Amino acid sequence: MVRLGIKEIESTEKKKKRESGLTLIEMVLVMALLGTIFLATYPVFNVSLNIWQRQDGRQQVIQTARVAMARITEELRYGSAV
């Protein structure tokens, strides 16, 4: 059976504490990778948003035209001859 002294136990606890966290270099690398991913995906998101906004405008125009056509049809259908 192996017995560890107090100093060995303390040194292994210190090693575990040091190994449990992230280093500054690791954090900087993660931030750089996330920034690169964001910069790579932003143009795709921006183009998608522009397309959606254009389509939304077109949809509103089409809906207004449908309402107008329905109103005209109703007026012609139920209107009296002059």
Side-chain angles (χ1 to χ4, degrees):
M1 183 152 92
V2 177
R3 290 189 163 181
L4 296 176
I6 293 176
K7 288 186 179 184
E8 288 92 12
I9 292 173
E10 287 177 354
S11 68
T12 56
E13 287 178 4
K14 286 181 183 179
K15 285 180 184 178
K16 286 181 184 178
K17 285 182 182 179
R18 277 189 283 166
E19 293 174 359
S20 66
L22 297 174
T23 65
L24 179 61
I25 294 172
E26 290 171 333
M27 291 297 291
V28 169
L29 286 174
V30 167
M31 294 299 290
L33 285 172
L34 288 175
T36 303
I37 291 169
F38 175 74
L39 288 175
T41 58
Y42 179 75
V44 174
F45 174 74
N46 196 23
V47 167
S48 299
L49 182 63
N50 288 337
I51 291 170
W52 179 78
Q53 287 174 340
R54 271 189 275 149
Q55 287 300 100
D56 189 49
R58 288 178 185 166
Q59 180 117 12
Q60 288 177 2
V61 169
I62 291 170
Q63 183 62 28
T64 304
R66 283 184 186 153
V67 169
M69 289 296 291
R71 195 166 191 190
I72 291 169
T73 302
E74 186 178 332
E75 288 289 328
L76 289 172
R77 185 172 292 151
Y78 298 112
S80 60
V82 178

